[in-house]
Amino acid sequence: MTLDEAVTVVIRRLGNRVGIESQVAEAIRLSQIEVEQGTDKPWFLLRERVPVQKVKNEPARIELPEDFLSDWEDGLLEFLDEDKWWALEKKDFRSASAAQATLFPAPAFYSLLNSSILLFPEPEPGMTFRWSYWGHEPQLTDGNSTNNWLTFAPEILISMAGLKEAPYVEAEAKLAAFQATLQTALQALKIQTQHRIESGQVRFMEYGQ
């Protein structure tokens, strides 16, 4: 489904109001931002085992990916050593910097600070890292654009946009229907995400796709 197609659905459910295409499109874009900031993130926002960008020094850090939303609670930051991946332990900045004792010859801890992943102790040049995290979908910039929200869960953005616009077009009677559809879609996606992760059937979206 494209943005234009989603706009058409919202307008039809609002009672075929005229001249509100741009407002509905903006409501859909805002809805994507809001739902991605929520606590229950869907399986298609997972970026798993993504090669991270080059490590910078002083202090040793990796810049967060442009699509970064938040840590995946089951995800890992790992480095490659002799064909084996080793996981780093996440700590807050103060604890990680204090824990970098000399007995750790390679990075053992990491901390998220502002727009960077800080590494402790400092890694040697040329080390390879990978990371798993939650990342946002591309914004719907024009009518022909689409993303995984409109592919796998269009009813969420459609219903949220309908809830936003109904009071402005005197369609308050539609609010209950939009709310019911939204709750059903959110619950279905939550169950689907849990099932995919637990069964190992998650289709991970690589950073940069």
Side-chain angles (χ1 to χ4, degrees), residues 11-83:
I11 291 176
R12 184 176 69 247
R13 293 181 184 180
L14 287 171
N16 292 312
R17 301 300 200 272
V18 178
I20 62 172
E21 290 81 3
S22 61
Q23 298 97 299
V24 172
E26 183 61 23
I28 291 174
R29 295 187 188 100
L30 290 173
S31 296
Q32 178 186 331
I33 294 172
E34 291 177 10
V35 72
E36 287 183 346
Q37 294 297 330
T39 56
D40 292 326
K41 293 180 172 56
W43 60 270
F44 53 78
L45 295 187
L46 281 175
R47 279 72 168 130
E48 197 264 355
R49 293 178 179 171
V50 178
V52 298
Q53 300 176 16
K54 184 178 179 181
V55 175
K56 299 180 179 180
N57 293 323
E58 298 180 7
R61 70 187 189 279
I62 300 167
E63 299 299 331
L64 289 175
E66 293 181 359
D67 67 342
F68 175 76
L69 277 174
S70 64
D71 265 354
W72 178 28
E73 56 276 13
D74 294 325
L76 297 171
L77 176 64
E78 302 169 291
F79 70 89
L80 183 63
D81 182 39
E82 297 182 354
D83 299 322

Side-chain angles (χ1 to χ4, degrees), residues 1-194:
M1 176 178 283
T2 65
L3 176 59
D4 277 347
E5 291 169 337
V7 167
T8 298
V9 174
V10 176
I11 291 176
R12 184 176 69 247
R13 293 181 184 180
L14 287 171
N16 292 312
R17 301 300 200 272
V18 178
I20 62 172
E21 290 81 3
S22 61
Q23 298 97 299
V24 172
E26 183 61 23
I28 291 174
R29 295 187 188 100
L30 290 173
S31 296
Q32 178 186 331
I33 294 172
E34 291 177 10
V35 72
E36 287 183 346
Q37 294 297 330
T39 56
D40 292 326
K41 293 180 172 56
W43 60 270
F44 53 78
L45 295 187
L46 281 175
R47 279 72 168 130
E48 197 264 355
R49 293 178 179 171
V50 178
V52 298
Q53 300 176 16
K54 184 178 179 181
V55 175
K56 299 180 179 180
N57 293 323
E58 298 180 7
R61 70 187 189 279
I62 300 167
E63 299 299 331
L64 289 175
E66 293 181 359
D67 67 342
F68 175 76
L69 277 174
S70 64
D71 265 354
W72 178 28
E73 56 276 13
D74 294 325
L76 297 171
L77 176 64
E78 302 169 291
F79 70 89
L80 183 63
D81 182 39
E82 297 182 354
D83 299 322
K84 183 176 181 180
W85 289 97
W86 299 85
L88 281 71
E89 180 183 353
K90 183 184 178 183
K91 291 178 174 289
D92 62 76
F93 174 75
R94 185 182 297 274
S95 299
S97 57
Q100 57 171 335
T102 56
L103 59 97
F104 296 106
F109 312 105
Y110 76 97
S111 177
L112 298 183
L113 185 66
N114 299 326
S115 60
S116 299
I117 307 169
L118 302 182
L119 305 172
F120 306 93
E122 183 174 322
E124 296 181 0
M127 292 185 69
T128 299
F129 292 85
R130 68 184 184 186
W131 194 32
S132 303
Y133 64 96
W134 296 107
H136 65 73
E137 279 295 293
Q139 278 292 302
L140 301 162
T141 55
D142 58 62
N144 291 321
S145 60
T146 189
N147 60 25
N148 284 317
W149 284 106
L150 292 184
T151 300
F152 297 109
E155 285 291 358
I156 291 176
L157 298 191
I158 287 170
S159 299
M160 290 180 70
L163 287 169
K164 292 180 183 299
E165 290 303 304
Y168 295 103
V169 295
E170 299 180 353
E172 288 86 352
K174 309 288 186 178
L175 289 172
F178 279 121
Q179 185 63 43
T181 302
L182 174 61
Q183 293 305 313
T184 299
L186 287 171
Q187 183 63 20
L189 186 57
K190 183 176 181 179
I191 293 172
Q192 184 184 63
T193 296
Q194 182 177 359

